[in-house]
Amino acid sequence: MSGDDVRDDPVVEAVDLSFRYPGADADTLRDVDLTIRRGDFVAVVGGNGSGKTTLCKTFNGLVPHYWSGEFAGAVHVAGTDTWESSVARLSSSVGYVYQDFQNQLVRPTVRDEVAFGPVNFGLADHAERTQEALEKAGIAHLADRFVWQLSGGQAHLTALASVLALRPEVVVVDEPVAELDPAAAVEVYERLSELHREHGVTVVTIEHHAEFIARYASSVLLMSDGAPVWHLPTAEALARAGELAEHGIPAPQVVEALARLGVEGVPRSPAEAAALVRTAESRGALRRSGPRTEPRTRTTPAPPARAVAAARGVSHGYRSVGGDLQPVIDDLHLELLEGDRVALVGGNGAGKTTLMRLLAGIQVPRSGTVVLDGVDTRTERPHRLAERAAYLTQRPERMFLKASVREDVELFPRSRGVPDVDALVDRILDRVRLTAFADRDGRTLSGGQQRRATLAIGLAMRPALLLLDEPTASLDVGSRDDVIAMLAELSGSIACTVVATHDMHLVAEWATRVVVLDGGRVLADTTPRALFADPDVLARAHLVPPQVAQLGTELGLDPLPLTVAELAAHFTTVPLGVPA
């Protein structure tokens, strides 16, 4: 069955569904009435805290059988009442790939992992199901690989194959692209699309990235405050760009660009958008005028610039289970200067996190030297180096050690005897707009609030070097933009900021310098504009430019636009009746 031939019979039905977690003040889901048709490809969208994940966990019975609480109404999946079933029985109808998919892998090899479900259910055809799932996920060649050897994208596809082995009718994937490099993210979506198109599997993704929604989804379910706002075909949903933006899901850049140019149409890819622009040009409705805005370039401090950190001939690696040294960083040379806003990019496994930990002095290299604010990291203990560099991990919840945000922010300066700690903490909480949440446990905050709280913890350390690992992962676009704006504001108080990221929008909108890692070495040290114009580096580093840069490439624009405003500056709209 093709993905477009959606049958009339429902595969998921929710009627008057409400749910409240224990101790919560309000319902997370409120009077939800929803039907998902068999064979649909549904993107569930909405801001952080809108109820997306909780809704999808009712499909496989995690709510209410694992996450207990006040449950009302009914959910039926493939004709089964989830209340009367169990998570184990529902797993043959609903496969669920979690946002933290790495924790879903429990067996040593890929084949063992994929076979785990069928073997534990005692299915006689477990070997056939395993091979079938490996092939559907496109990872049959990885069957004998240990799971700890996998890249992020390979691990994600292994988690997908493990649920496919039970031949579910519905596959739910929570944030498919959150922890993946751009090329791996496309690969996961291509596999999901193939399942939907060629095998008739109903696919549900929880997604913040409008470009993936536009390219792959058949319909869009908008959630807000625990209830569906609407569930529409993708073209109709994208036509409601203003309403989506109000809920933290702005239109894909290509849709926004065409609207800015006055070109009709709702393109689902940069290639489609380029075709519509060329048609408008051929009809005389648009003409190229050259950019009216000055291209943004790297803002390097006037020499001599102070070196905030430097890696000189650094190599590092880790011991495998068999005792072999697995290299991660290989003879790397890098200097970070005062005023730099550095995006550290590269494919999964390129060495980004390891390099940041070395720069922060949390680890020392096996060979070579790291100098942090004038100090060789081998000569100082990590807790003393924390006064010079703050490293904020990818998992913000791990930064919260105390009972309130205020206590977490004041922990470091109070332990160091910093004067006027209370006033310092008040200023920082106000700066990150968390004064109203100062007495809340950081682990109870939304994703965007947690990121701002970890920034507050870092600011209170008053470092010369601020290092952030994937600060925008899993955030809705509104929260992501808040974090980007916050990072921009910090340039006056932090000598140098380094962000390891897969988010090419952050690279385009914030960075003045991009360091590309590949195989533990610096593949390129460049600007965002130069990076997105270099297909060889993009391919080697598994990077995909933002849609607006892809559209600029399709149209042959020079300089390559980094924003919709820059793209629009290349064109002049010709009023009706005026000769082109």
Side-chain angles (χ1 to χ4, degrees):
M1 179 184 71
S2 84
D4 295 329
D5 297 330
V6 178
R7 299 176 185 171
D8 291 335
D9 56 313
V11 70
V12 176
E13 286 184 290
V15 180
D16 296 330
L17 170 64
S18 295
F19 181 74
R20 179 178 298 193
Y21 288 101
D25 296 328
D27 290 346
T28 299
L29 298 175
R30 300 181 301 102
D31 302 321
V32 174
D33 288 301
L34 171 68
T35 298
I36 295 177
R37 302 292 179 183
R38 197 178 302 275
D40 202 354
F41 192 132
V42 185
V44 183
V45 306
N48 291 118
S50 61
K52 304 184 299 296
T53 295
T54 300
L55 173 65
C56 289
K57 286 179 177 176
T58 69
F59 301 167
N60 72 340
L62 281 177
V63 172
H65 298 300
Y66 182 79
W67 295 104
S68 60
E70 299 178 27
F71 184 94
V75 178
H76 291 84
V77 178
T80 299
D81 188 328
T82 61
W83 177 268
E84 297 176 354
S85 185
S86 67
V87 175
R89 287 197 297 270
L90 285 167
S91 64
S92 61
S93 297
V94 182
Y96 204 116
V97 181
Y98 300 95
Q99 182 177 329
D100 191 4
F101 57 86
Q102 298 278 7
N103 289 339
Q104 200 167 339
L105 307 181
V106 296
R107 301 294 296 154
T109 71
V110 171
R111 188 184 301 280
D112 292 337
E113 179 63 40
V114 177
F116 183 76
V119 168
N120 275 271
F121 277 107
L123 300 176
D125 60 345
H126 62 84
E128 177 187 336
R129 286 169 174 262
T130 299
Q131 188 61 31
E132 174 188 282
L134 287 167
E135 291 174 0
K136 283 183 177 178
I139 55 171
H141 62 293
L142 300 174
D144 297 320
R145 189 82 59 89
F146 288 108
V147 295
W148 53 264
Q149 294 177 307
L150 302 176
S151 69
Q154 291 168 341
H156 203 292
L157 290 171
T158 300
L160 175 61
S162 71
V163 303
L164 292 178
L166 292 175
R167 295 175 181 166
E169 296 182 67
V170 180
V171 170
V172 180
V173 187
D174 193 346
E175 295 280 1
V177 308
E179 297 186 24
L180 303 183
D181 65 59
V186 171
E187 172 69 6
V188 169
Y189 259 103
E190 286 292 335
R191 292 296 174 182
L192 291 173
S193 180
E194 185 178 295
L195 288 171
H196 167 243
R197 185 178 62 253
E198 298 184 10
H199 301 283
V201 176
T202 303
V203 177
V204 179
T205 63
I206 301 172
E207 189 55 85
H208 292 308
H209 296 79
E211 58 267 33
F212 288 104
I213 296 167
R215 183 172 173 181
Y216 295 102
S218 300
S219 69
V220 180
L221 171 65
L222 174 62
M223 292 287 293
S224 179
D225 196 24
V229 179
W230 40 251
H231 183 195
L232 295 170
T234 299
E236 293 182 35
L238 294 176
R240 300 191 178 197
E243 192 173 359
L244 284 170
E246 290 174 3
H247 291 275
I249 311 294
Q253 283 186 320
V254 290
V255 173
E256 184 185 351
L258 263 60
R260 180 77 68 93
L261 295 174
V263 176
E264 292 185 0
V266 183
R268 298 183 68 153
S269 69
E272 288 185 16
L276 290 169
V277 170
R278 291 192 193 98
T279 298
E281 287 184 287
S282 66
R283 293 175 178 171
L286 281 179
R287 64 170 171 238
R288 303 202 182 194
S289 57
R292 292 190 295 270
T293 57
E294 186 68 23
R296 181 164 59 87
T297 58
R298 173 180 170 186
T299 54
T300 305
R306 178 170 72 98
V308 178
R312 297 167 183 159
V314 167
S315 295
H316 196 67
Y318 304 100
R319 293 288 176 187
S320 70
V321 174
D324 297 329
L325 183 64
Q326 301 292 324
V328 179
I329 300 296
D330 180 21
D331 192 27
L332 182 142
H333 296 263
L334 180 67
E335 190 171 58
L336 303 176
L337 305 178
E338 185 172 4
D340 277 346
R341 287 157 45 171
V342 182
L344 187 62
V345 304
N348 291 106
K352 299 186 295 297
T353 296
T354 297
L355 177 58
M356 295 182 82
R357 292 174 64 84
L358 291 170
L359 290 171
I362 297 170
Q363 295 173 296
V364 294
R366 291 183 178 270
S367 64
T369 302
V370 174
V371 177
L372 173 59
D373 203 22
V375 175
D376 186 332
T377 59
R378 294 183 188 278
T379 67
E380 195 72 86
R381 293 184 179 275
H383 74 277
R384 301 304 307 180
L385 291 171
E387 298 175 356
R388 303 173 184 272
Y391 170 64
L392 308 184
T393 70
Q394 185 173 345
R395 309 286 185 191
E397 64 275 6
R398 295 179 182 174
M399 301 289 292
F400 304 123
L401 306 176
K402 297 295 185 178
S404 71
V405 172
R406 177 179 293 279
E407 290 176 273
D408 281 314
V409 175
E410 71 181 20
L411 180 61
F412 185 89
R414 196 172 293 283
S415 70
R416 294 297 196 272
V418 174
D420 299 322
V421 170
D422 290 336
L424 171 68
V425 172
D426 285 340
R427 287 197 304 273
I428 290 172
L429 289 173
D430 179 65
R431 185 168 191 178
V432 300
R433 301 190 298 280
L434 284 178
T435 300
F437 300 91
D439 297 323
R440 286 267 300 274
D441 187 321
R443 287 156 290 204
T444 69
L445 300 177
S446 71
Q449 291 164 345
Q450 284 188 346
R451 297 290 180 185
R452 298 209 305 271
T454 59
L455 279 174
I457 293 170
L459 284 174
M461 297 167 72
R462 300 189 294 182
L465 178 64
L466 181 63
L467 304 127
L468 302 97
D469 203 346
E470 292 288 355
T472 61
S474 304
L475 297 185
D476 62 47
V477 176
S479 298
R480 184 200 72 189
D481 290 346
D482 279 348
V483 170
I484 292 174
M486 194 73 59
L487 289 173
E489 292 172 11
L490 295 182
S491 58
S493 55
I494 302 294
C496 177
T497 302
V498 180
V499 172
T501 186
H502 293 312
D503 185 346
M504 294 300 105
H505 291 276
L506 186 153
V507 174
E509 297 167 17
W510 171 79
T512 58
R513 178 181 175 189
V514 188
V515 174
V516 184
L517 292 190
D518 179 52
R521 291 191 171 196
V522 175
L523 174 62
D525 189 345
T526 184
T527 64
R529 202 181 310 276
L531 170 65
F532 297 144
D534 190 331
D536 292 336
V537 171
L538 292 171
R540 284 187 59 183
H542 308 286
L543 303 176
V544 178
Q547 281 194 330
V548 69
Q550 294 181 58
L551 178 54
T553 299
E554 291 272 356
L555 294 171
L557 302 182
D558 184 22
L560 197 67
L562 295 178
T563 66
V564 171
E566 287 185 4
L567 183 138
H570 280 274
F571 294 91
T572 299
T573 303
V574 181
L576 290 175
V578 176

